[in-house]
Amino acid sequence: MRKLDLPNKAASSVLALCIQSIRDAGLKERLTAAMDHIEFAEASYLEHAELGKLFQIVQEADVDGVTAEEMKRVYKGTFARSKKTRHIYDLIKKLPANDICPMCGQRTVGTLDHYLAQSLHPALTITPANLLPSCADCNKSKLDAQPLQENEQTLHPYFDNVDDSAWLFAELLEESPAALRYVVKPPAGWSATKQERVLHHFVVFGLGALYASHSAAELVNIRYGLQRISKLGTAKEVREHLQLQFESHQDAHPNSWQTAMYRALVASDWFCEGGFN
Ligand SMILES: [Zn+2]
């Protein structure tokens, strides 16, 4: 997961702009009356998120006089479309560097995902802190179900930081062709909950299979270069080259599949001595 800055927009300002864009006088009135509820829900969300306890937020059927279905229509039909609000939608979507999905760190952002499902938390439907840039696959992988306990929460890019230590590792399968298997090994110094959440995130988004397939393609891409290096030198030069790749990827993203892959390749005598062939 890649950390993002919390969007600097309040739910109340999003709601006020949505209300300006809505023609239905009755809905306008009911949304205006729901403003306090939505602001209160946002404050509670921020408090719970800081503590990693969003699973404790109680589900609701509606927002005062506004139904969950109406909130969904406000999100889809107004917030994501109206000239008055679209720039906020786009601002959130553009938060990740190079449009890379923060959940998988691999695919391109295509949408916004509600961290707490809009069907269960209508008061958080247009709350920026609950809206995460996401690729289409990650958006689909996360079901609308409410996490029931702390360790069943996927990582939250605005509030969690898991790049303070290495936790993603690869195991090299020394066979022909070589392949990598990805495993989560969080540091012992992390709390049990943090360790369990990073593993849960890895499983929910299917990152093991995603990273195995991209690393298998990468092994094919680097083969020719490694053959050239080994023709002119020895396994030592191959390892030095791989070490530089490892350090470069680690500097950019300590828990990317590339960092884990090159760490595993550097550590393998078999690979450096010709396993890449
Ligand atoms: Zn993704």
Side-chain angles (χ1 to χ4, degrees):
M1 185 219 59
R2 297 193 181 171
K3 180 97 184 73
L4 296 176
D5 289 335
L6 179 66
N8 185 23
K9 292 282 172 195
S12 57
S13 58
V14 176
L15 180 60
L17 292 171
C18 286
I19 291 171
Q20 285 178 25
S21 304
I22 288 168
R23 292 207 187 107
D24 178 340
L27 181 58
K28 259 178 181 308
E29 199 175 303
R30 285 181 293 120
L31 282 169
T32 305
M35 178 73 89
D36 284 353
H37 188 139
I38 287 170
E39 280 191 293
F40 181 82
E42 180 185 47
S44 170
Y45 185 94
L46 294 173
E47 268 174 39
H48 282 80
E50 288 293 347
L51 300 170
K53 307 264 187 200
L54 285 172
F55 76 100
Q56 288 178 339
I57 294 198
V58 178
Q59 298 172 26
E60 295 177 310
D62 50 35
V63 195
D64 298 335
V66 187
T67 66
E69 273 310 311
E70 284 175 318
M71 284 305 296
K72 274 188 192 180
R73 285 203 293 274
V74 170
Y75 174 78
K76 221 176 159 183
T78 307
F79 175 54
R81 290 216 185 133
S82 160
K83 271 188 195 149
K84 289 195 195 304
T85 50
R86 179 73 201 191
H87 68 282
I88 302 176
Y89 183 95
D90 288 339
L91 179 143
I92 299 172
K93 215 171 142 200
K94 285 280 174 201
L95 284 172
N98 307 314
D99 294 325
I100 298 298
C101 169
M103 263 61 89
C104 60
Q106 178 63 39
R107 294 175 291 238
T108 309
V109 170
T111 186
L112 296 185
D113 181 47
H114 289 84
Y115 184 84
L116 289 183
Q118 50 182 337
S119 55
L120 309 177
H121 300 276
L124 296 167
T125 301
I126 55 164
T127 301
N130 192 43
L131 298 174
L132 301 173
S134 169
C135 70
D137 285 359
C138 285
N139 188 37
K140 264 183 251 151
S141 302
K142 207 169 117 293
L143 300 172
D144 271 2
Q146 172 91 350
L148 296 176
Q149 44 194 32
E150 211 168 353
N151 60 4
E152 286 178 11
Q153 301 175 108
T154 55
L155 300 170
H156 197 311
Y158 301 149
F159 299 98
D160 295 312
N161 180 12
V162 289
D163 274 345
D164 51 342
S165 297
W167 56 265
L168 181 68
F169 292 85
E171 289 170 1
L172 181 66
L173 307 174
E174 296 182 350
E175 57 197 30
S176 187
L180 290 135
R181 197 172 75 86
Y182 283 82
V183 287
V184 174
K185 287 185 194 165
W190 280 7
S191 69
T193 303
K194 189 168 175 179
Q195 296 191 30
E196 286 159 16
R197 281 186 67 193
V198 78
L199 178 62
H200 181 71
H201 185 96
F202 183 82
V203 171
V204 165
F205 291 112
L207 301 185
L210 177 68
Y211 296 166
S213 111
H214 282 279
S215 60
E218 181 75 353
L219 286 173
V220 174
N221 288 333
I222 64 175
R223 185 184 298 145
Y224 175 81
L226 296 178
Q227 286 170 341
R228 283 280 296 268
I229 293 169
S230 72
K231 243 180 221 168
L232 299 168
T234 64
K236 182 172 167 280
E237 280 76 29
V238 170
R239 178 168 275 132
E240 282 169 1
H241 172 79
L242 294 170
Q243 174 70 24
L244 188 60
Q245 295 297 315
F246 162 65
E247 288 173 23
S248 190
H249 284 291
Q250 186 187 40
D251 184 62
H253 300 290
N255 289 294
S256 68
W257 62 260
Q258 294 95 331
T259 301
M261 171 180 126
Y262 282 104
R263 185 193 289 112
L265 299 184
V266 168
S268 168
D269 289 340
W270 173 84
F271 189 81
C272 294
E273 285 163 7
F276 49 83
N277 282 305

